Amino acid sequence: MAISLHNIIPVLNADFQGIETDIHINNISIDSRSLQNNENTLFFAIVGPNNDAHIYIGDLISKGVKNFVVTYIPQRLKDKANFLIVENTLFALQKFASYYRNLFHFPVIGITGSNGKTIVKEWLNFLLSPDYNIIRSPKSYNSQVGVPLSVIGINEHHNFGIFEAGISTKGEMENLQKIIQPSIGILTNIGTAHDEGFADISEKIKEKLKLFTNVEVLILNKNKTIEAFIKSEIKTFTWSTNDKSADVFFQKKTFDDYSILNITNEEKCFKIQIPFTDEASLENSMHCILTMLYLKYDLDTIEHRVSQLFPVEMRLKVKKGINNCTLIDDSYSADFQSLKIALDFLENQKQHLKKTLILSDIYQSGLEDENLYARVSQLIISNKINRVICIGDIISKYKNKFLNAISYVSTNDFIDDFENLDFANETILIKGSRHFEFEKIVTLLEEKTHETVLEINLNAISHNLNYYKSKLNPETKIMVMVKAFGYGSGGFEIAKLLAHHKVDYLGVAFADEGIELRQAGIELPIMVLNPEMTSFPSIIQYNLEPEIYSIRGLKAFIKITEQKELTNYPIHIKINTGMNRLGFDDEIIPELISILQKNDSIQVKSILSHLAASDDLTHDIFTKKQISDFDIISSKITRELKIYPIRHISNTSAISNYPQAQFDMVRLGIGLYGVSNDINETEELENVGTLKSIISQIRTLDIGESVGYSRRFMVEKPTKTATIPIGYADGISRSWGNGVGYVLINEQKAPIIGSICMDMLMVDVTEINCFEGNEVVIFGKNPSVTTIAKAINTIPYEILTSISGRVKRVFYRE
Ligand SMILES: *Cc1c(COP(=O)(O)O)cnc(C)c1O
């Protein structure tokens, strides 16, 4: 891409205010953190419901970015950069993408539907790539933002496009149609589930079909309800497994680990073997087969390529590596677009100063090798990668283009040399095409633990934060509580995300937790709830801010700040209003005030109290009394000291139940992690943590046998059991055993039978089709921690924070 700013202004219908328009734009960005931003970048300041990228513009200008699409020029930045002022920056991005798309003329497949979009897209890419230079949506980039960003990736060498489109409400598809402009349409399916964004199913169908307004053909599963909405001028190419009037008729037979499809098309019959047995994969492969038939592929080619389809892994996963490394596992694809995304992700996640990239040959860039690797080298330099490990004979030839690069012709050569590479204390991005089998490298680099993982969805955390933000007055600040290792979900990774979201404060319980965050590079202000006096020196050393709750603590802290000759060191004053845990009682306030008056080594940054029952409206009167007492006492302090500290009392439940108690800041805790004490609110939140394990062993038991310690489960009918390697030492309470609780295997409930052991538990899988090695969900969306907490008479907080440190945390973005 090289388009002059001058030409972009009329496309966006923008009002230009700036320095010069004679600038070539070769990079579009909406991510303020991307190291790929430079002086030729055009940055679109997207405004979400609770997030406004205009706040990053100042930082970006100081990093050399010059061109911005905005709805207003932020204060004091006028004349500092080029501004294209528009009414709506998202629409502007879409307009630009649609303009850009019009510069190219080649076949484009547009895919939409409720499920399977990404898999069909990835499979078609695999099936068609030997014959075309394909541009496709990276990952699941199918939203109002994702689609324009995907299309902007087209370059002059591409000759085929595959893009997916996802919508959640009426009116969205028209925009996406204009950007994708598909010539071939695929409708994967339309779920019957009620979506909030649509009045009813027919509105949903009509909206989705808008993607196909101008296609030459629409490929879909034959379905009378849907066909009634398709305009007669649109040609369809349909398949079915029960309606012989479809253009292509499939009969399927499934075996242990593969299926055979008998296919009838235009009176010809043929057979294809598919390496899957589940319904969804079979449907997805049928859409692919129809596309190949439509594109006039011969049967041998179809059969050969379809038999090689593979499971699709779309997520970038962050894993703990050996020798204190952090791995970013993207070991299934290596195209230029997704490399850019992965490098941005690496920058956002990095926990170590040193960054290493392991990269295979790159396919399908549409570019000549020379040009391609020159661009890759540019990317690597701007992302400040310290070490590049090239694997593959093509990339090896260009290794001199990369600084500090080592190369291997094959993955096995790399593995042979592994011991000499000294991986330690670095973040490693592993990115390779499928056939390089980089999963072998991931296995080598991954820290060895047992097979239980707690997966943390970083997107869900952002969603939940934004949800609570939307409930606050715009000027209310947010402190996020990341105590107890982020409620069990991970300290640093979550803090880093919160820093990006510019929350105002972090809260931890003990100084050690704050020190860990500082050592990992977190610069946000951090309040320590329960600072022990012995930790005061390190609190100061690491620039942490203590909560002071007693005269004894206050005097001790003042003494240290005076010894160090500090002035105005920030502290937080905790008032007890009825929780009766920590805090100054009402009658000590005069003494507190007089000490504070006399000392300028410290400064009251905030005054806080804590509510005892904000989640339980039966204590409404008590809570309101706490709030008004806090107001009175804190006002007295501020009045007498003539200071203006931040005042705060609300935790998660109070944000919803007592909006009048926001004062200047709230302290968000459990809600961020996807749990609310209110059922309706829980529906608005996204699940963050999913605790997963696998089946170690399956056995069949006869009547009279027993399971586990003390023989607490007696077999009364022939029973198939599965053993799962997770137990009470991992944090699964024993009360959840003996028929009370269950796990999820293949989406079905498997009751826990017998007592939960220290490191294992057993479940009944008599009714479930499953095998050793299959995945098991201990908690997540279902069963939720709230469900478990209710059943065993505790609270979700305890379940989340009980998950032992030996359970590996894996962070991912969708
Ligand atoms: C833990 C904690 C919070 C957060 O509580 P949630 O109920 O998780 O929102 C707020 N304030 C203090 C003092 C806390 O200890």
Side-chain angles (χ1 to χ4, degrees), residues 27-43 60 63-65 344 382:
N27 177 36
I28 299 293
S29 172
I30 61 163
D31 180 357
S32 63
R33 293 172 290 184
S34 176
L35 292 178
Q36 293 155 37
N37 294 329
N38 60 42
E39 57 178 4
N40 300 104
T41 294
L42 179 59
F43 183 87
L60 283 164
K63 287 183 188 148
V65 179
D344 275 342
S382 53

Side-chain angles (χ1 to χ4, degrees), residues 54-269:
H54 288 77
I55 59 173
Y56 303 116
I57 292 177
D59 293 352
L60 283 164
I61 291 177
S62 63
K63 287 183 188 148
V65 179
K66 288 187 168 158
N67 313 294
F68 299 89
V69 179
V70 296
T71 57
Y72 62 90
I73 302 181
Q75 265 179 12
R76 284 189 288 279
L77 297 180
K78 206 165 175 322
D79 303 327
K80 296 258 160 60
N82 293 319
F83 291 101
L84 281 63
I85 305 169
V86 297
E87 229 158 74
N88 180 314
T89 45
L90 172 61
F91 292 166
L93 176 67
Q94 295 176 338
K95 263 194 213 158
F96 177 76
S98 157
Y99 159 79
Y100 186 72
R101 164 72 180 88
N102 267 312
L103 305 176
F104 300 92
H105 305 279
F106 50 69
V108 166
I109 299 180
I111 309 173
T112 193
S114 301
N115 298 304
K117 296 184 285 293
T118 304
I119 296 174
V120 170
K121 179 199 71 196
E122 289 300 310
W123 281 358
L124 282 173
N125 174 62
F126 166 79
L127 295 167
L128 308 181
S129 61
D131 312 299
Y132 298 96
N133 270 327
I134 301 175
I135 170 82
R136 70 188 197 277
S137 332
K139 309 279 160 197
S140 307
Y141 271 38
N142 61 28
S143 66
Q144 296 289 307
V145 179
V147 170
L149 292 178
S150 306
V151 167
I152 288 166
I154 304 176
N155 68 41
E156 56 279 21
H157 299 280
H158 290 120
N159 59 16
F160 201 102
I162 312 175
F163 298 106
E164 56 177 296
I167 52 168
S168 53
T169 184
K170 205 177 153 192
E172 291 187 333
M173 193 58 98
E174 208 174 320
N175 298 339
L176 301 186
Q177 191 280 334
K178 286 189 193 138
I179 304 168
I180 299 177
Q181 301 171 26
S183 50
I184 299 173
I186 298 178
L187 180 66
T188 56
N189 55 35
I190 290 191
T192 48
H194 174 69
D195 294 61
E196 281 199 5
F198 302 98
D200 53 32
I201 180 93
S202 53
E203 187 176 283
K204 181 156 91 172
I205 296 173
K206 277 194 230 161
E207 184 66 29
K208 297 210 169 174
L209 288 175
K210 286 196 177 145
L211 179 61
F212 309 119
T213 326
N214 283 320
V215 293
E216 59 185 48
V217 66
L218 169 57
I219 292 167
L220 78 165
N221 183 355
K222 193 162 178 58
N223 175 315
K224 295 221 164 60
T225 321
I226 295 175
E227 273 164 309
F229 291 97
I230 300 177
K231 299 217 176 68
S232 56
E233 64 268 25
I234 293 178
K235 195 176 121 196
T236 59
F237 186 40
T238 60
W239 62 267
S240 180
T241 52
N242 49 39
D243 182 344
K244 289 200 167 154
S245 72
D247 299 308
V248 183
F249 185 69
F250 289 99
Q251 283 168 297
K252 54 180 197 241
K253 261 205 201 98
T254 56
F255 299 87
D256 258 2
D257 54 359
Y258 67 96
S259 310
I260 299 281
L261 293 177
N262 277 305
I263 305 176
T264 318
N265 170 227
E266 295 179 344
E267 337 235 285
K268 281 185 299 255
C269 289

Side-chain angles (χ1 to χ4, degrees), residues 453-523:
V453 294
L454 179 58
E455 291 188 350
I456 305 294
N457 181 345
L458 294 171
N459 293 88
I461 291 187
S462 301
H463 169 92
N464 297 340
L465 176 66
N466 286 335
Y467 170 77
Y468 284 101
K469 261 196 202 166
S470 74
K471 302 207 131 195
L472 299 176
N473 304 325
E475 54 300 341
T476 305
K477 296 182 187 321
I478 299 189
M479 173 185 287
V480 178
M481 308 309 291
V482 293
K483 59 194 183 194
F485 190 52
Y487 287 48
S489 302
F492 168 80
E493 297 81 357
I494 290 172
K496 177 104 190 174
L497 183 65
L498 296 170
H500 169 68
H501 283 292
K502 300 203 181 227
V503 305
D504 300 278
Y505 257 95
L506 296 178
V508 296
F510 298 103
D512 287 353
E513 298 176 323
I515 292 170
E516 247 173 58
L517 295 178
R518 284 279 182 263
Q519 284 172 336
I522 299 295
E523 291 171 358

